[in-house]
Amino acid sequence: MSNPDDLWPENIADANLITPVTILKEQAALLGEKTKQLVTGEVVTQTSGSLFVHYFYIVAPTLNYTFELFQVSHGINFYPLILRHLNTTTQLTSESEFKDKLKEILSSQHTLNVVHSILAQVRS
């Protein structure tokens, strides 16, 4: 029997949203898999009021070395979000735009140079 004092809708817990941090953590894990965990990705989240800020790091665990590749910030509704990379700020209005921009960054020559340089340091 329903509680007459319960004013919440029945479907309040029905959510299938994919958060930007989930996408970032998936990509961080994939970097570790591709480099046999010699170089990994790490996502650190900070909150400030209603703003979420996610930092994406490339990490060499054996060297205790961390490199910030980019950061993403958004409000409670995820989009639009702001992505900061190489002194450039981009506003992205949807999950598909976000994924497209991530693919561009992760496959860029800059990112490849960073990962290759860190791998060389780890292997030396």
Side-chain angles (χ1 to χ4, degrees):
M1 180 163 206
S2 69
N3 178 349
D5 294 326
D6 181 355
L7 305 179
W8 291 100
E10 290 296 321
N11 65 347
I12 192 71
D14 297 346
N16 58 357
L17 301 173
I18 299 172
T19 65
V21 73
T22 297
I23 296 166
L24 294 174
K25 286 180 177 181
E26 287 172 350
Q27 296 309 308
L30 287 168
L31 176 61
E33 288 176 20
K34 290 178 177 286
T35 64
K36 297 182 172 99
Q37 304 305 322
L38 293 174
V39 177
T40 61
E42 182 178 335
V43 179
V44 175
T45 299
Q46 295 179 341
T47 58
S48 175
S50 62
L51 188 67
F52 293 81
V53 182
H54 311 292
Y55 299 89
F56 191 98
Y57 296 105
I58 296 177
V59 179
T62 60
L63 298 176
N64 198 27
Y65 178 79
T66 302
F67 178 88
E68 182 182 320
L69 187 61
F70 61 85
Q71 65 176 267
V72 173
S73 58
H74 61 81
I76 192 70
N77 290 322
F78 313 148
Y79 302 99
L81 60 73
I82 304 296
L83 190 144
R84 290 177 183 82
H85 175 252
L86 295 177
N87 298 318
T88 302
T89 301
T90 306
Q91 180 171 316
L92 304 165
T93 61
S94 67
E95 182 180 319
S96 63
E97 279 186 21
F98 179 46
K99 285 182 174 181
D100 288 345
K101 187 65 175 176
L102 279 181
K103 183 175 184 174
E104 178 185 316
I105 291 170
L106 298 178
S107 63
S108 72
Q109 192 60 52
H110 174 259
T111 301
L112 288 172
N113 289 344
V114 168
V115 172
H116 290 165
S117 296
I118 294 172
L119 276 170
Q121 290 290 330
V122 168
R123 291 176 176 151
S124 63

